Amino acid sequence: MTNPRLLLGAVLALVACDPELELEPEPPPDSLIAARIHYALASDWEEAELVDGARVFTTDLGYTVGLTSWWQSTTNLELVACPEDEEFRHAGHTHDVSQLVLQVIENLVDGQTTLVGEAEGGELPYCNLYQIMGTVPLDGVEITSRVAGWYRAPGAAEAVSFDAVNTVPVSVLPEFTIGAWDETLDVDEARVELVRYPARAFDGLMLETLSDLDLAFSASQALGWDAEVHWALAR
Amino acid sequence: MKWHAWVVMVSLATLACADDSGADDELGETGESGSGSGDGDGDGDTGDGDTGEAVGECSGWDLLSDFYPDVSFGDLSACSGEQAEAIEASLMNFDGLTITGDSVVGEDGSNTASPCVEVLCDEDYAYIASNALPHYDPQAAPIFDTTETPIVHRIPLVPVAVSSDVSADDWYDAPGCESALGMAVVNMTPTMPPSSHCWYETKDGTANTGEHYVTDGEEVVHKVMCYGQTASLITGIPAFAPCEEARPDPYGSPLFWAYDDPDELFVDYCGTHPAAITHNHWLNEVCLAQDADDKPANSYATGAASFVIEDLDAADCTVESDTLGWAYDGHPLEGGCVCMERDDDGTCTDLRRARSGYVYAGLARWANDASDDANIHTDAVVASHLGVELSSCTTRDDCCDGDTMNCRLYCHPLLVEDAGEVALEQRCVTPDYSWCGHEFVEHDDVLEDDGYVYLDRCNGVETADGYVYAGTPTFPYVNGCYKDDPSEMAIDDTYTRLDMDMGGMGGGPPP
């Protein structure tokens, strides 16, 4: 009689030695098509330090920046179908069924990931997320962003404090990263997470030359441009 | 003008595929891209390697002979003479300026591009070449591509009066506006503009909106297109007539939607949005202000924050507005503060806010119980969304009974006439069929109100410095017709056709 342990050992040895029998990782989903979309907003401060409640980082131009708060609105999230044949996109947009109209204002300094809502999905594969940072009330004032903190210019001894408010809407169209599978989702569902990198949003800005409005507007715009859309489908 | 659309398409494709180094080799010294002027020697030393035809650095010049077969680049030279130099001096300086953003499609496929505007002249015209890119990172919804689009505007150096012999339509177009009302009541998308206030011709040329000219019985003026360019701005971007296409708001004001739903950014707050060609539907002086080097003086955010209609209508002018563009009949397009009188030293002694002569009188006023179309009988109109048209409001909810998602009305600040007085008020208004919703009010004296001067039907006025059009925050926003005879650009529908051919918001029902 054959010893089962010996048989199992032999099979395992064969699997280990034959590369064709190795278990390859499952490839990620190639396109986002789902009947239900769950939206989330996230912030990744990367290498920024957390010092006394402030996010502190250095920009590409050498400014040291400390942010004690960054209130940022989001008023629209909507998936945009992949263009057919690299078509020219031009005025004539009608909203996709995936549109989620909302009135969210987050303090990015908290670094939280927030589930903000869900919407239907369409039948075409999606390639972009259309985010509008419109005006929402904060302390009774309609704003799109309010960024407070300080910066120290390269070589400067003194830090300059600021409390900058933007009232002008910003809209962006970040692209998708490679998708993933998510066991926690139900069939036909997708999770779409907009990941912002606030510590990059001050790169390229000569802060002492900007008005408060331009500082807050530029930071919000860069935040949107540098964002990534992470997405996952139910297996 | 189908061939024009084809040429633009080919040019766009060429630009999109162009290799940087190769393109540079073929471009010469003449057009000083971004400087607002060329050297204008016209000596042919700037030849295109393929055709031998001279070209400037701004891509607009590529279409010079396509738009104007009677003109070659070698015919043009630096602008001289008072009017020509004024045009040249007014243009914005784009030296070293690049724009970027999610919606920007650069020549190399990247998300960066460089705007350009240049001018050269012959004896009769100034030619403003542009690639129609904004001077700031585009802000209209990035679901629309912003791409380089060549255009050459032709501006007469000496305005020529309209002949009294031309055939002209009547300003009062009851049948056209009744038709507009009927379609608005049942929310029907028109196949072409229903009224004759502006110029439109179908692609096959079998139907149009009447004559090129229109008259109030005293003066004959030239129509603007129902959807299309009316002037070159100092950026080289065309100003567009006060209407959109058949969709989304049929031949309606794009400002109503953009202003009352600012988060949508259908049009940005500098008045610009892309389509087949990026264009301006209204003017924002702060966005178009120039510094001492003629470069943009303000950021987009600064300009956008300044766009408050009530402020732009206030009779508090303290500084004369600059020239912001040039209409195709040769008259300047200025900002909202115009000088009506100067002293011997040239100092302005009567600076006024230019106010449109049009008020919003309502689309529902065209209701006609005697009509065969029951949709325009008073009871049908009152029962429709237009039943609350012109009601006072503070928010859109007041006009839409809380259902703004499916509502055809906006709560918008605009000029209305009440007991003979013109005032800026918030009213429930429809954006559809702008020409029929607005009514021109004759003023016995254009200076009748302190601080204001009322503009004529074309949105212009005779100032201390001659006739000018003014950018206004209410209809028609830019020039609404041409006082004098315009160049052929006034009826060239290249970009309208291009927009339609690309599946834009042209005529016909939604797909």
Side-chain angles (χ1 to χ4, degrees), chain B residues 14 46 55 113 115 131 137 163 201 227 260 270 290 339 360 447 456 458 473 507:
Chain B
T14 306
T46 61
V55 293
N131 60 4
D137 299 332
S163 166
E201 186 172 65
Y227 174 77
D260 294 317
C270 285
Q290 300 175 61
C339 181
Y360 188 88
L447 304 179
D456 63 19
C458 296

Side-chain angles (χ1 to χ4, degrees), chain B residues 139-290:
Chain B
Q139 297 298 322
I143 46 179
F144 312 149
D145 281 340
T146 297
T147 188
E148 187 169 343
T149 311
I151 187 171
V152 187
H153 309 272
R154 193 184 211 185
I155 313 294
L157 295 177
V158 178
V160 176
V162 173
S163 166
S164 58
D165 295 334
V166 297
S167 297
D169 291 322
D170 196 306
W171 267 106
Y172 189 76
D173 181 13
C177 289
E178 288 179 6
S179 174
L181 173 61
M183 288 187 283
V185 166
V186 297
N187 199 19
M188 177 191 292
T189 301
T191 54
M192 65 176 286
S195 72
S196 62
H197 295 97
C198 50
W199 167 250
Y200 176 83
E201 186 172 65
T202 55
K203 194 172 184 177
D204 61 7
T206 58
N208 58 44
T209 56
E211 306 290 345
H212 287 162
Y213 298 89
V214 64
T215 182
D216 60 356
E218 294 181 0
E219 186 181 18
V220 178
V221 295
H222 193 290
K223 297 176 183 176
V224 291
M225 284 191 287
C226 296
Y227 174 77
Q229 68 280 348
T230 70
S232 170
L233 300 189
I234 56 174
T235 56
I237 290 177
F240 260 37
C243 309
E244 264 302 334
E245 298 180 75
R247 286 177 281 142
D249 301 321
Y251 300 100
S253 167
L255 175 59
F256 290 9
W257 179 10
Y259 197 76
D260 294 317
D261 189 1
D263 296 344
E264 186 74 17
L265 292 172
F266 172 58
V267 186
D268 74 30
Y269 268 20
C270 285
T272 309
H273 72 164
I277 186 169
T278 294
H279 54 267
N280 270 67
H281 277 290
W282 64 84
L283 308 182
N284 180 325
E285 289 185 65
V286 177
C287 295
L288 293 170
Q290 300 175 61

